[in-house]
């Protein structure tokens, strides 16, 4: 009787999780395929993905990843084999995220090499700067220029002394400062049960089967 009960539970379990094997969707507009372990929030059932791997579709059908800090990234490509996401800032200005740009308590991490800490300065416009500073075009305007310098550098003898310090940003690649269409590479951590949907499904199925054998 006990064995029969667990057999029924096993069938229900497999049926519910097996459905995830057919969970593939997209936001359209040439966007990436969205499949296990990701799911489209509000359009695909929970078993199509893992908690924390929710994506959404914007009004223009872009694929969006929202970080725990509220930062929204537009996803251009998902490489399931190497567990990589290629994303851009929808406003074309990563430095505008300020301190709020963080992957936070998520499954993701920035993959780009040479991450630096930067300090930003608001300076008078049209003045040449001869330090190792980087002008940030997307933050500059007709009445001011914004420059970034690596936080460990000293400015005591530099021409930034006449500028006003704005804020610090941590862990930014150099290219993210200058390129308005910078492509950010993000990797994700493997779920505990496997690196693919089939592998994870097989792990779960084996675990339930083993439980049945022990109990029965």
């Amino acid at each position: 009787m006990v064995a029969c009960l667990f057999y029924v539970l096993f069938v229900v379990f497999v049926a519910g999780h097996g459905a995830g094997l057919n969970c593939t969707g997209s936001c359209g507009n040439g966007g990436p395929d969205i499949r296990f372990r990701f799911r489209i929030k509000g359009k695909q059932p929970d078993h199509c993905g893992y908690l924390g791997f929710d994506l959404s579709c914007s009004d223009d059908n872009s694929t969006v990843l929202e970080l725990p800090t509220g930062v929204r990234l537009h996803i251009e490509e998902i490489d399931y084999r190497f567990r990589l996401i290629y994303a851009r800032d929808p406003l074309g200005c990563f430095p505008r995220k300020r301190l709020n740009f963080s992957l936070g308590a998520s499954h993701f991490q920035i993959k780009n090499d040479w991450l630096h800490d930067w300090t930003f300065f608001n300076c008078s416009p049209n003045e040449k700067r001869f330090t190792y500073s980087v002008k940030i075009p997307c933050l500059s305007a007709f009445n001011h220029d914004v420059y970034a310098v690596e936080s460990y550098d000293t400015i005591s003898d530099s021409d930034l002394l006449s500028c006003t310090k704005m804020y610090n940003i941590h862990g930014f690649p150099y290219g993210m400062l200058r390129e308005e269409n910078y492509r950010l590479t993000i990797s994700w951590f493997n779920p505990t049960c496997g690196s693919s949907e089939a592998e994870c499904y097989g792990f779960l199925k084996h675990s339930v089967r083993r439980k049945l054998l022990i109990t029965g």
Side-chain angles (χ1 to χ4, degrees), residues 116-145:
H116 303 274
D117 296 337
W118 303 91
T119 302
F120 286 71
F121 292 88
N122 187 317
C123 304
S124 299
N126 303 320
E127 290 186 11
K128 292 184 178 181
R129 304 290 166 180
F130 299 100
T131 60
Y132 294 103
S133 56
V134 181
K135 184 176 179 179
I136 314 300
C138 66
L139 292 180
S140 300
F142 72 95
N143 59 347
H144 71 273
D145 289 329

Side-chain angles (χ1 to χ4, degrees), residues 97-179:
K97 306 300 184 184
R98 301 193 182 189
L99 295 176
N100 292 325
F101 183 85
S102 170
L103 301 189
S106 69
H107 300 280
F108 308 104
Q109 63 182 4
I110 297 177
K111 187 69 175 177
N112 302 64
D113 295 330
W114 305 107
L115 303 180
H116 303 274
D117 296 337
W118 303 91
T119 302
F120 286 71
F121 292 88
N122 187 317
C123 304
S124 299
N126 303 320
E127 290 186 11
K128 292 184 178 181
R129 304 290 166 180
F130 299 100
T131 60
Y132 294 103
S133 56
V134 181
K135 184 176 179 179
I136 314 300
C138 66
L139 292 180
S140 300
F142 72 95
N143 59 347
H144 71 273
D145 289 329
V146 175
Y147 290 84
V149 62
E150 289 195 67
S151 298
Y152 66 79
D153 287 340
T154 177
I155 64 167
S156 58
D157 298 321
S158 75
D159 49 9
L160 292 176
L161 288 174
S162 61
C163 303
T164 303
K165 180 180 176 180
M166 299 170 62
Y167 49 80
N168 295 324
I169 289 183
H170 304 282
F172 257 48
Y174 174 81
M176 190 186 291
L177 296 175
R178 302 199 57 153
E179 300 175 28

